[in-house]
Amino acid sequence: MNAKQTIEAGKAILGIEFGSTRIKAVLIDEQNKPIAQGAHEWENQLVDGLWTYSTEAIWYGLQDCYAELRKDVMAQYDCEIESLAAIGFSAMMHGYMAFNQDQQILVPFRTWRNTNTGKAAAQLSELFNYNIPLRWSISHLYEAILDNEEHVGDIKFLTTLAGYVHWQVTGQFVLGVGDASGMIPVDPATKTYDAGMVSKFNELIAPKGFSWQLLDILPKVLVAGENAGFLTPEGAKRLDVSGHLKAGIPVCPPEGDAGTGMVATNAVKQRTGNVSAGTSSFSMIVLEKPLSKPYEMIDMVTTPDGSLVAMVHCNNCTSDINAWVGLFKEYQQLLGVPVDMNELYGKLFNKALEGDADCGGLMAYNYVSGEPVTGFADGRPLFVRSANDKFNLANFMRAHLFGAIGVLKIGNDILLKEEQVQIDRITGHGGYFKTPGVGQRMLAAALNSPISVMETAGEGGAWGIALLAAFMVGNKQQQSLADYLEQVVFAGNKGVSIAPTAEDVAGFERYIENYKRCMPIEQAAVASKQ
């Protein structure tokens, strides 16, 4: 079938992901190729000191995104979306959405960005002997209890953004295991909430006398491939206000953006991983066994099929590089030279390849905001050099490219050096890798591992959740998710790989030692910031 016939036959599959600045819809065909898309831009709001999106913004954004998808389908294929083979919903993970028995939200949605949960996260990390990040749902819940918030006694349902949207359009209060692992830790053996931690939490809050225990209010956990319900008539109307979309479409388990990123980069198999590097960066490494102990800078989540994943999340990545490139753009304009930003980035990034392996001693801290992995609550971008360093453009650009992934290296050194985690393949995606070969080579040096980049990685999480929906309805051979992605979706395509050179690896090691030594300079800069 061509794309038009696929859509008209109701065989296309829809994935929708709620990102922090954009809601994106991707329609794929039976070969898992994107054939249409829609998007809606949105922004979070600071309400009473907490970052949130209103439920009105969630539904308006979803409906506008779907309307844009319909428009794209009409423009390209001159047809309507009447039915679909499957749908999947995904969203930014963690956070806090609490509802009463009438399914009314009790307090505005508290997103992953909020950091008011420090006391709760610290106490739970100690209780569970497991790193519980500030942004996890259990941290938000316990902080609300510690703060004696009145609404807590009325909680009947607690879920994530993806879980909420799925629940409202299917009537099923469920969550994919990857997203669930950002609420409270998941046991990879049972593929549901860790029973020991659930029990400890119930004992902890027992003196409060709530009418609920933890499992009473959490969504049921499902793994990739399981059916998570069907689009209800009310759900169809909430998604497609034009009324064309029919009810009864199967919907896959709702997932978090970390899981869909793993799927979109074919990185759900053990000993594989992916690095997303744009405004912020994070790495996801799929483990063969649990780590020997908890680490504050490493979050433990799971793949959409329940394998344990070590995540290093960094708040900053390319923003400082972008600011410097903007300065070079101004200089070009001052000379009256026309500016092509793609060409400018390309030339500057490629210039970095000519630099010394250790950047000639130059040092860059890309801390536009705080950086939890290195212990900074606030940040100040900083470029540092001594009088004797080799100060030239190649080393300057290389230092900033190294600096953009310096924190990522520090976190991953724990996995690779202390825990001896074995990795066969890491896939990179995001703006850091846009100039072919440059970001790849830098990351390969940082992690001392080959780095692959795929053309399809740019399709992102909406494509990833569409693939999970396809896996649910199209896995005729009953393959594992890893095998399905490897053999059906990617068909052996591992992308273009760059292996590290010994010289680059040694140079990055010297750079990062200097980086750590100079951290008091960054601390002083932050302390003096008014």
Side-chain angles (χ1 to χ4, degrees):
M1 290 189 186
N2 61 31
K4 180 181 170 75
Q5 291 168 329
T6 299
I7 295 165
E8 289 180 331
K11 300 222 170 147
I13 290 173
L14 174 61
I16 296 180
E17 182 160 281
F18 291 75
S20 53
T21 59
R22 189 166 68 141
I23 304 169
K24 185 177 178 184
V26 169
L27 202 63
I28 64 173
D29 63 16
E30 292 176 282
Q31 283 72 49
N32 303 300
K33 302 286 189 297
I35 52 176
Q37 60 181 342
H40 170 82
E41 307 288 325
W42 70 338
E43 288 289 342
N44 50 197
Q45 259 65 59
L46 192 62
V47 178
D48 297 329
L50 293 171
W51 291 105
T52 188
Y53 301 86
S54 69
T55 52
E56 292 80 11
I58 291 167
W59 292 109
Y60 175 75
L62 177 64
Q63 290 161 1
D64 185 56
C65 177
Y66 186 84
E68 290 298 310
L69 174 73
R70 276 187 61 232
K71 208 181 286 183
D72 189 37
V73 167
M74 187 60 74
Q76 286 196 73
Y77 311 112
D78 192 28
C79 64
E80 237 344 311
I81 307 169
E82 302 282 351
S83 188
L84 295 159
I87 303 176
F89 296 98
S90 167
M92 53 189 126
M93 291 173 70
H94 323 299
Y96 183 78
M97 296 192 84
F99 299 84
N100 64 17
Q101 61 182 6
D102 298 321
Q103 299 188 17
Q104 294 170 321
I105 196 161
L106 292 166
V107 290
F109 167 35
R110 295 170 182 177
T111 79
W112 63 272
R113 280 191 72 181
N114 291 297
T115 56
N116 62 309
T117 55
K119 192 174 174 186
Q123 288 184 21
L124 292 174
S125 295
E126 188 175 345
L127 177 70
F128 297 155
N129 189 32
Y130 200 96
N131 179 40
I132 304 297
L134 300 179
R135 62 186 183 275
W136 280 17
S137 305
I138 197 73
S139 298
H140 284 277
L141 174 61
Y142 190 48
E143 190 64 44
I145 293 170
L146 290 176
D147 295 343
N148 294 308
E149 294 193 40
E150 286 183 20
H151 77 272
V152 177
D154 296 326
I155 297 175
K156 183 73 175 171
F157 306 97
L158 181 67
T159 189
T160 64
L161 177 54
Y164 166 64
V165 173
H166 179 98
W167 174 35
Q168 295 302 300
V169 300
T170 65
Q172 300 298 310
F173 191 61
V174 298
L175 202 57
V177 65
D179 206 3
S181 70
M183 295 196 79
I184 184 171
V186 159
D187 181 345
T190 62
K191 301 196 191 310
T192 189
Y193 307 110
D194 186 287
M197 295 185 201
V198 168
S199 177
K200 284 180 180 179
F201 186 81
N202 285 332
E203 286 174 30
L204 178 67
I205 65 168
K208 296 287 185 180
F210 298 126
S211 61
W212 53 264
Q213 291 200 312
L214 190 56
L215 291 185
D216 299 334
I217 63 173
L218 292 180
K220 179 186 176 185
V221 181
L222 300 175
V223 297
E226 291 190 89
N227 183 281
F230 298 87
L231 191 67
T232 62
E234 299 78 20
K237 284 177 193 153
R238 291 195 85 171
L239 180 56
D240 179 13
V241 293
S242 76
H244 285 90
L245 190 65
K246 294 183 174 67
I249 299 164
V251 188
C252 74
E255 265 300 350
D257 52 358
T260 57
M262 287 185 269
V263 170
T265 53
N266 190 18
V268 299
K269 187 176 279 189
Q270 291 179 357
R271 296 172 64 111
T272 67
N274 78 85
V275 169
S276 172
T279 307
S280 61
S281 70
F282 59 85
S283 62
M284 314 282 293
I285 308 298
V286 189
L287 304 177
E288 295 177 280
K289 62 180 191 295
L291 301 180
S292 65
K293 62 180 183 180
Y295 295 91
E296 193 176 340
M297 59 182 69
I298 297 173
D299 302 346
M300 303 305 297
V301 292
T302 79
T303 62
D305 58 350
S307 289
L308 207 55
V309 176
M311 178 182 193
V312 177
H313 185 278
C314 311
N315 283 358
N316 302 282
C317 187
T318 58
S319 294
D320 195 35
I321 293 175
N322 294 341
W324 281 106
V325 174
L327 198 69
F328 289 119
K329 173 192 170 187
E330 282 190 52
Y331 174 67
Q332 243 181 275
Q333 289 172 328
L334 191 65
L335 296 179
V337 179
V339 179
D340 178 323
M341 291 306 288
N342 286 331
E343 182 187 24
L344 185 56
Y345 271 100
K347 285 193 180 302
L348 289 170
F349 271 46
N350 277 298
K351 188 68 180 173
L353 297 177
E354 300 172 20
D356 294 301
D358 63 355
C359 309
L362 309 187
M363 187 63 48
Y365 294 91
N366 65 334
Y367 297 12
V368 173
S369 63
E371 197 55 82
V373 171
T374 46
F376 285 83
D378 201 357
R380 175 172 274 189
L382 200 61
F383 172 66
V384 182
R385 70 184 180 98
S386 71
N388 297 322
D389 290 337
K390 296 177 186 171
F391 185 41
N392 57 43
L393 182 59
N395 282 335
F396 178 84
M397 286 308 301
R398 193 179 184 94
H400 279 88
L401 284 164
F402 274 19
I405 53 172
V407 178
L408 196 70
K409 175 176 172 57
I410 290 169
N412 276 280
D413 275 354
I414 292 172
L415 297 174
L416 302 173
K417 295 179 179 178
E418 294 183 36
E419 291 284 338
Q420 301 293 306
V421 169
Q422 300 298 307
I423 307 173
D424 296 329
R425 183 180 80 242
I426 296 177
T427 305
H429 58 113
Y432 186 80
F433 304 103
K434 192 171 180 185
T435 302
V438 180
Q440 265 180 283
R441 183 169 155 187
M442 304 298 164
L443 187 63
L447 302 185
N448 192 15
S449 170
I451 305 297
S452 298
V453 171
M454 297 181 183
E455 283 180 32
T456 51
E459 300 294 348
W463 184 55
I465 191 67
L467 294 178
L468 286 171
F471 175 67
M472 179 185 70
V473 295
N475 184 19
K476 307 291 188 244
Q477 307 300 319
Q478 297 300 300
Q479 294 169 294
S480 68
L481 177 61
D483 287 345
Y484 179 82
L485 292 173
E486 188 83 34
Q487 296 165 24
V488 178
V489 176
F490 293 92
N493 173 24
K494 293 182 170 61
V496 178
S497 182
I498 290 182
T501 67
E503 183 187 8
D504 280 351
V505 171
F508 210 119
E509 290 296 336
R510 290 195 299 275
Y511 177 90
I512 211 70
E513 288 310 311
N514 200 19
Y515 184 100
K516 292 175 186 172
R517 241 188 341 265
C518 292
M519 267 187 189
I521 304 172
E522 174 66 21
Q523 286 164 344
V526 170
S528 68
K529 186 176 178 182
Q530 296 301 318

